[in-house]
């Protein structure tokens, strides 16, 4: 299985009568934005198209569903093409995998560097900040006119995957594509309201409670916070609602290592860590058999949360001490 | 006093030997980014140039100071040009006003719709999302080569004034200018670290404490939070550190009116309000003699903070009830 060009993928889509689209499980703004944009474009081109969902989309992304999303695997019984978006491997759409490979032709459009081609046609561009950028190029290459709905879906993908054009993956092209979307009439501020002003109350509350546990140590170079099952139950929140907490800790001035400990169940804690500039959190995670990248890593500690906090704190302090000795 | 073109302003700067730049008081990312970018460019063009500051720049923007910022009104004793950036009126640089008008020629470059021309040369473009966009155009019109330092200062101005390209003031041009800055070699992710990962500890703590006072009412359509002098003293924080709290309240799903009450001193409370989509907070502010825009307004209540919270809550509930009656 090899890499194909955007044009080759466009030609396959142009030939097809029916196309079923697959965002990944726990779909985010890029997977859903990409799928919605392509669904809108293919319908404009007269194709029978739908987005086969793994689960209900988060509230923030419901606006993308202009009659596109379905849970019915039989909505298109025998699709000419099954195409997955933003998925590095078939395990990213596990319960829909069988249906995917029933497509007469399969296509994978993705931007994860680690992805291996697994479909009949594959276009994987690790330099693209978002899969939505590739969808933009695909729609342009097919000669389908961009419009407000398609443009806002692409914009959603780009914004969410670039952290609003702040993450290092953002490129000149992310901005050039976005500029072109303005010509299609997008209301970027409306998208921002949908995506960022729809925070579930339980998320607001659990984030507030969690950040309230913040503790600074190692002379202010490290920050740690935690969430317990009891806290989650009190707020009716899930662990997913604490996404973003570790970044909030890292954003404190002077903090070089941020650690966030989640009690998954009794005697099982998951740790997320972030480094700001010089520290290496992958090394700290490795102490506990975990791993990741220099600036974002994690590990699992099979112990009581209080013990986990203590052990992790020690490891972080030691790591910072070693770094200082080297300076 | 009339409006001038960017080119006319560039011609004045080209003729000058010395230029003193004025960001506004309590300078933000746009005022400081604009001033730093222009200072860097004018020095490249061989001018004697400095940025005369009103007060120390916030930590998040210290990286912009490449030997540009000064507090010494005599650093350039008799400037050919005094030029203010992002200032709608001379009251925006009150303690430096006398020095400003000592310039042989005065220039105002601004993007506030409400600004009145008050200098010898004025270019006020209310459509620009940031003054930094105008500085970009000015530098290009003067034929000075963009570089990494200048580019990152302009990027800072655009990011901060557009809320990372989310606010409604963002335009296609904001993205096109940013794309051009990538050609100048900007490290956009480094800027993001400086600007957003430098939160003072006391801000982190007071925001957490303040959002902990959040109360939902009017069937979840309104959210209110407050900060007292006692809370500020406990955290060693200032009222400015609570900037952003009212937006955090508005971001809760279902919340249409967000209100944030700050106790300035005994029996003096300042209120900030935000509406999400349909409500009109200017009307609610008017009940207490305040004002503002439909989606962002404020008022002052000369009473005890508990009474202020109660009175405001009543007014918001009444307003939401009226809106519902009209639906």
């Amino acid at each position: 299985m090899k890499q194909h060009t955007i044009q080759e993928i466009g030609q396959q889509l142009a030939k097809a009568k029916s196309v079923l689209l697959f965002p990944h499980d726990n779909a985010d703004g890029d997977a859903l934005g990409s799928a919605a944009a392509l669904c809108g474009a293919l319908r404009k081109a007269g194709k029978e198209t739908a987005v086969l969902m793994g689960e209900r989309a988060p509230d923030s992304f419901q606006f993308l569903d202009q009659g596109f999303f379905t849970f019915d695997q039989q909505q298109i019984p025998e699709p000419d093409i099954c195409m997955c978006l933003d998925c590095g491997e078939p395990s990213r759409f596990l319960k829909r995998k069988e249906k995917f490979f029933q497509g007469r032709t399969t296509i994978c459009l993705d931007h994860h560097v680690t992805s291996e081609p697994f479909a009949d046609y594959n276009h994987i561009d690790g330099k693209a900040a978002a899969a939505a950028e590739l969808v933009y190029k695909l729609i342009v290459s097919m000669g389908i006119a961009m419009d407000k709905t398609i443009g806002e879906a692409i914009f959603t993908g780009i914004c969410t995957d670039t952290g609003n054009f702040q993450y290092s993956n953002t490129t000149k092209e992310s901005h050039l594509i976005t500029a072109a979307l303005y010509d299609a009439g997008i209301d970027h501020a409306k998208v921002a309201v949908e995506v960022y002003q729809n925070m579930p109350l339980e998320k607001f509350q659990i984030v507030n409670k969690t950040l309230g546990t913040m503790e600074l140590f190692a002379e202010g170079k490290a920050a740690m916070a935690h969430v317990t099952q009891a806290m989650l139950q009190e707020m009716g929140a899930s662990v997913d609602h604490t996404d973003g907490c570790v970044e909030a800790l890292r954003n404190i001035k002077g903090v070089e290592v941020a650690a966030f400990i989640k009690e998954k169940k009794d005697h099982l804690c998951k740790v997320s860590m972030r480094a700001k500039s010089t520290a290496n959190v992958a090394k700290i995670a490795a102490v506990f058999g975990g791993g990741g990248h220099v600036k974002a890593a994690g590990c699992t500690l099979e112990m009581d949360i209080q013990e986990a906090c203590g052990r992790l704190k020690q490891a972080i302090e030691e790591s910072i001490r070693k770094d200082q000795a080297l300076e």
Side-chain angles (χ1 to χ4, degrees), chain A:
Chain A
M1 291 178 191
K2 64 172 194 103
Q3 276 269 29
H4 299 80
T5 63
I6 288 274
Q7 286 69 29
E8 285 170 318
I9 292 188
Q11 283 154 12
Q12 290 303 313
L13 289 170
K15 281 195 293 185
K17 282 195 180 134
S18 59
V19 182
L20 194 57
L21 301 170
F22 293 67
H24 57 70
D25 291 337
N26 295 313
D28 58 8
D30 190 27
L32 293 170
S34 295
L38 190 53
C39 190
L42 292 174
R43 285 196 186 173
K44 272 178 88 168
K47 314 288 178 193
E48 185 187 1
T49 315
V51 178
L52 183 61
M53 304 288 287
E55 69 285 289
R56 191 176 179 278
D59 286 337
S60 326
F61 302 121
Q62 285 295 335
F63 77 101
L64 293 170
D65 186 11
Q66 307 283 323
F68 299 153
F69 298 174
T70 181
F71 299 91
D72 178 7
Q73 299 220 354
Q74 292 313 309
Q75 178 161 333
I76 302 179
E78 296 185 332
D80 289 338
I81 291 179
C82 281
M83 178 169 177
C84 64
L85 296 144
D86 201 32
C87 302
E89 43 183 74
S91 66
R92 298 290 280 126
F93 45 92
L94 209 55
K95 287 183 187 153
R96 292 165 291 154
K97 191 173 149 182
E98 203 177 320
K99 180 75 185 180
F100 180 80
F101 286 108
Q102 283 168 13
R104 280 185 201 94
T105 302
T106 57
I107 302 180
C108 166
L109 188 72
D110 187 34
H111 73 122
H112 292 96
V113 231
T114 50
S115 298
E116 290 289 338
F118 60 81
D120 300 328
Y121 288 80
N122 304 279
H123 181 80
I124 298 159
D125 178 357
K127 286 192 186 130
E133 292 185 10
L134 303 175
V135 168
Y136 172 84
K137 290 186 191 177
L138 179 59
I139 293 171
V140 170
S141 95
M142 291 180 73
I144 304 169
M146 211 43 73
D147 62 28
K148 190 170 184 288
T149 307
I150 300 173
E152 289 175 357
I154 293 172
F155 182 66
T156 303
I158 297 178
C159 280
T160 53
D161 254 28
T162 61
N164 296 329
F165 305 93
Q166 299 302 301
Y167 298 160
S168 57
N169 65 347
T170 318
T171 66
K172 179 184 172 184
E173 195 161 40
S174 313
H175 286 283
L176 290 177
I177 291 174
T178 304
L181 299 178
Y182 277 74
D183 290 333
I186 61 163
D187 182 346
H188 67 276
K190 189 205 77 178
V191 173
V193 170
E194 295 285 355
V195 174
Y196 300 111
Q197 298 182 25
N198 246 321
M199 183 188 277
L201 176 63
E202 53 272 30
K203 179 172 172 66
F204 179 91
Q205 289 173 321
I206 195 69
V207 165
N208 191 251
K209 207 169 173 73
T210 297
L211 295 182
T213 71
M214 191 276 290
E215 187 193 350
L216 273 192
F217 57 98
E219 295 163 331
K221 289 199 169 66
M224 185 186 278
H226 67 268
V227 67
T228 63
Q229 283 298 316
M231 287 160 71
L232 292 168
Q233 275 155 26
E234 188 195 336
M235 298 297 174
S238 72
V239 164
D240 292 346
H241 287 131
T242 60
D243 283 356
C245 281
V246 70
E247 287 83 6
L249 299 174
R250 181 208 52 201
N251 290 353
I252 299 171
K253 186 182 159 189
V255 167
E256 188 49 52
V257 175
F260 180 48
I261 310 191
K262 294 161 272 189
E263 184 186 39
K264 297 291 271 193
K265 57 181 186 185
D266 209 25
H267 285 84
L268 185 69
C269 299
K270 291 267 259 178
V271 176
S272 304
M273 285 185 281
R274 296 287 183 276
K276 187 175 285 168
S277 38
T278 54
N280 180 344
V281 286
K283 264 195 200 167
I284 303 171
V287 172
F288 302 100
H293 306 279
V294 173
K295 292 194 175 169
C299 54
T300 302
L301 274 73
E302 291 184 18
M303 56 187 84
D304 173 65
I305 186 155
Q306 272 169 321
E307 197 190 338
C309 288
R311 292 277 301 275
L312 188 64
K313 195 171 160 182
Q314 255 185 340
I316 293 171
E317 276 174 335
E318 204 164 308
S319 159
I320 289 177
R321 218 169 20 240
K322 274 188 198 163
D323 286 350
Q324 281 172 329
L326 289 175
E327 267 169 18

